[in-house]
Amino acid sequence: MPAGFVALGLGSFGIGLTEFVIAGLLPEVSRGLGLSESAADGSFSGYALSVAIGAILLTAATTRFHRKAVLVGLVTLFALGNLLSAAAPTYAVALLGRVVAALCHGSFFGIGSLVARRMVPPERASRAVAVMFAGLTIANVLGVPFGTLVGEHWGWRATFWAITGIGLLAVAALVVWVPSWAGTVDDAHRKVGLRPQLRVFRSWQVWLTLAATALGYGSMFGAFSYIAYTFTEATGFSSADIAWLLVVYGSGLVIGNLAGGRAADRNRDRTLIVSLAGLAATLTAFRMLAEGQVASVVLVFLTGVFGFAGVPGMPTRVTDAAGGAPLAAIANVSASNIGNALGAWLGGLAISAGLGYTAPLYVGAAIVALGLAVMVVTALSGRSASHLSAGPDQTAGHTWTTGASRQSASGVRTQAYVNDTRLPPVGRGSMV
């Protein structure tokens, strides 16, 4: 595996750690800052909404810059945000730090996915995205439990100090290991403004895929945001058990992410439908069997597997539906984080309504059921559309007009400046 993927993975690891670690630290943060459980969900929704907004704004501001330089700048901003949270005297300042860190999240994954795809042949696009997202999943296996333990022993601020250090390491790795050619933006692409890219959002396939993304993520976060309370209040685990339970969940994320990337390169729509259906069934069963400790361990693992099995396929699908427009990759990240905020908010409402700490599981199941219906409609309508009939990573002649030229976005070894997936010479970069 090229070292560039290691650098991208380290960046996604740090970002994933910042996003998810709060789930294990939520009780400590709530007590330390004098917040109720439902009020503390601002740590989730504030972060997620900042990701959604920041992704569009930063992408619009940096679309003509070299992508490697943009990634380095984004991770630097991420480290500064975590530094602010670590030193924050009040909840407002801590939340501000998370907002600053969140501003880089969406653009990093959107731009990073384009850089990752450029380093591999087109038929491995979803697997390339899965490798980059592996850092995000490993953050749940190793980082989140570690952060939880650090928070319990030395306070939640110590966790954010550690994340700041990881961010600085990621900056150095990106500078040294990501090849410059992987982040190059063609001269023709630099001349493309924001308005031509916005035209791709006239496509129903783009909007339906974004909706499925938002609902898929929202379902998982509807359950995950309050999983620590579910385990301690409903299942009967102690707070000391949360760390290893998150390892189980994170292991499912790793397996689901890698398996989903490989499966999506074979049949993307089928993989997305199966992953959403599996998540709906798992969350429903989890709610019904939440009082059983053995069943809860198995089901939280399956939640991770199905929850992330569709992650590699969604960004490649939406960018292909948009003819490779870079803004579409960012919109996918924004959609996922809008879903995150929605899921966390609805889960908090369910708890505040007195429905119990297992209620977020039903909230998640309901959200993903809607997402499954949207994905089925998307897949069926996509088959009848010529621009998606060619299958994964092929848009069968679908194009979008830049004003200067009109390029095919078919998944072949040709230069296409629109989606900038032009490959280096054979042997210059490959993914093992």
Side-chain angles (χ1 to χ4, degrees), residues 249-291:
Y249 172 74
S251 299
L253 294 181
V254 172
I255 293 173
N257 175 59
L258 296 178
R262 184 173 294 273
D265 280 332
R266 292 194 297 267
N267 191 316
R268 186 166 52 201
D269 283 356
R270 181 175 63 190
T271 299
L272 296 176
I273 289 172
V274 169
S275 66
L276 293 172
L279 184 57
T282 298
L283 291 177
T284 301
F286 200 169
R287 169 61 181 85
M288 297 172 64
L289 303 174
E291 294 182 358

Side-chain angles (χ1 to χ4, degrees), residues 5 109 112-114 116-117 120 124-134 257 311-313 315-316 431:
F5 280 104
F109 282 105
S113 67
L114 296 176
R117 291 185 68 171
V120 300
R124 295 185 180 181
S126 292
R127 274 173 281 185
V129 174
V131 171
M132 187 194 71
F133 272 89
N257 175 59
V311 168
T316 60
M431 182 176 67

Side-chain angles (χ1 to χ4, degrees), residues 212 215 272-274 276-278 280 367-377:
L215 294 169
L272 296 176
I273 289 172
V274 169
L276 293 172
I367 295 174
V368 76
L370 181 57
L372 175 61
V374 171
M375 190 62 234
V376 169
V377 171

Side-chain angles (χ1 to χ4, degrees), residues 272-370:
L272 296 176
I273 289 172
V274 169
S275 66
L276 293 172
L279 184 57
T282 298
L283 291 177
T284 301
F286 200 169
R287 169 61 181 85
M288 297 172 64
L289 303 174
E291 294 182 358
Q293 293 190 348
V294 174
S296 293
V297 172
V298 173
L299 290 167
V300 77
F301 172 77
L302 292 177
T303 299
V305 171
F306 288 114
F308 249 68
V311 168
M314 285 296 189
T316 60
R317 192 185 200 284
V318 75
T319 51
D320 286 349
L327 191 60
I330 311 302
N332 184 76
V333 180
S334 295
S336 68
N337 282 275
I338 289 172
N340 293 352
L342 175 66
W345 177 64
L346 292 176
L349 286 182
I351 292 176
S352 298
L355 300 178
Y357 289 105
T358 59
L361 296 171
Y362 268 161
V363 170
I367 295 174
V368 76
L370 181 57

Side-chain angles (χ1 to χ4, degrees), residues 378-393:
T378 306
L380 292 176
S381 61
R383 287 179 184 176
S384 63
S386 61
H387 65 280
L388 283 177
S389 61
D393 302 310

Side-chain angles (χ1 to χ4, degrees), residues 57-394:
L57 295 178
L58 285 177
T59 299
T62 62
T63 187
R64 301 179 184 181
F65 293 98
H66 194 283
R67 287 172 182 162
K68 176 179 176 178
V70 173
L71 290 176
V72 171
L74 291 172
V75 179
T76 300
L77 180 64
F78 158 80
L80 291 175
N82 281 283
L83 177 64
L84 183 59
S85 292
T90 64
Y91 173 71
V93 177
L95 183 58
L96 176 61
R98 283 183 62 76
V99 168
V100 171
L103 290 175
C104 82
H105 181 129
S107 291
F108 177 86
F109 282 105
I111 295 172
S113 67
L114 296 176
V115 172
R117 291 185 68 171
R118 186 170 176 137
M119 291 192 287
V120 300
E123 64 271 15
R124 295 185 180 181
S126 292
R127 274 173 281 185
V129 174
V131 171
M132 187 194 71
F133 272 89
L136 189 67
T137 59
I138 293 173
N140 286 271
V141 178
L142 300 177
V144 172
F146 173 76
T148 302
L149 290 174
V150 169
E152 289 179 349
H153 288 85
W154 294 287
W156 61 269
R157 295 179 188 275
T159 301
F160 286 99
W161 281 112
I163 298 173
T164 301
I166 292 171
L168 295 176
L169 286 176
V171 170
L174 290 168
V175 170
V176 175
W177 287 336
V178 172
S180 294
W181 55 260
T184 300
V185 180
D186 295 339
D187 289 339
H189 189 193
R190 288 193 183 94
K191 298 176 183 178
V192 177
L194 186 61
R195 183 176 298 178
Q197 295 194 58
L198 291 175
R199 294 195 187 108
V200 304
F201 292 98
R202 297 174 182 175
S203 168
W204 277 107
Q205 280 293 315
V206 171
W207 283 109
L208 288 172
T209 305
L210 291 176
T213 296
L215 294 169
Y217 272 85
S219 66
M220 190 166 57
F221 266 72
F224 180 75
S225 298
Y226 302 95
I227 197 67
Y229 292 109
T230 300
F231 280 135
T232 57
E233 302 298 328
T235 309
F237 285 109
S238 68
S239 59
D241 291 320
I242 299 301
W244 70 263
L245 288 167
L246 290 176
V247 170
V248 173
Y249 172 74
S251 299
L253 294 181
V254 172
I255 293 173
N257 175 59
L258 296 178
R262 184 173 294 273
D265 280 332
R266 292 194 297 267
N267 191 316
R268 186 166 52 201
D269 283 356
R270 181 175 63 190
T271 299
L272 296 176
I273 289 172
V274 169
S275 66
L276 293 172
L279 184 57
T282 298
L283 291 177
T284 301
F286 200 169
R287 169 61 181 85
M288 297 172 64
L289 303 174
E291 294 182 358
Q293 293 190 348
V294 174
S296 293
V297 172
V298 173
L299 290 167
V300 77
F301 172 77
L302 292 177
T303 299
V305 171
F306 288 114
F308 249 68
V311 168
M314 285 296 189
T316 60
R317 192 185 200 284
V318 75
T319 51
D320 286 349
L327 191 60
I330 311 302
N332 184 76
V333 180
S334 295
S336 68
N337 282 275
I338 289 172
N340 293 352
L342 175 66
W345 177 64
L346 292 176
L349 286 182
I351 292 176
S352 298
L355 300 178
Y357 289 105
T358 59
L361 296 171
Y362 268 161
V363 170
I367 295 174
V368 76
L370 181 57
L372 175 61
V374 171
M375 190 62 234
V376 169
V377 171
T378 306
L380 292 176
S381 61
R383 287 179 184 176
S384 63
S386 61
H387 65 280
L388 283 177
S389 61
D393 302 310
Q394 300 181 37

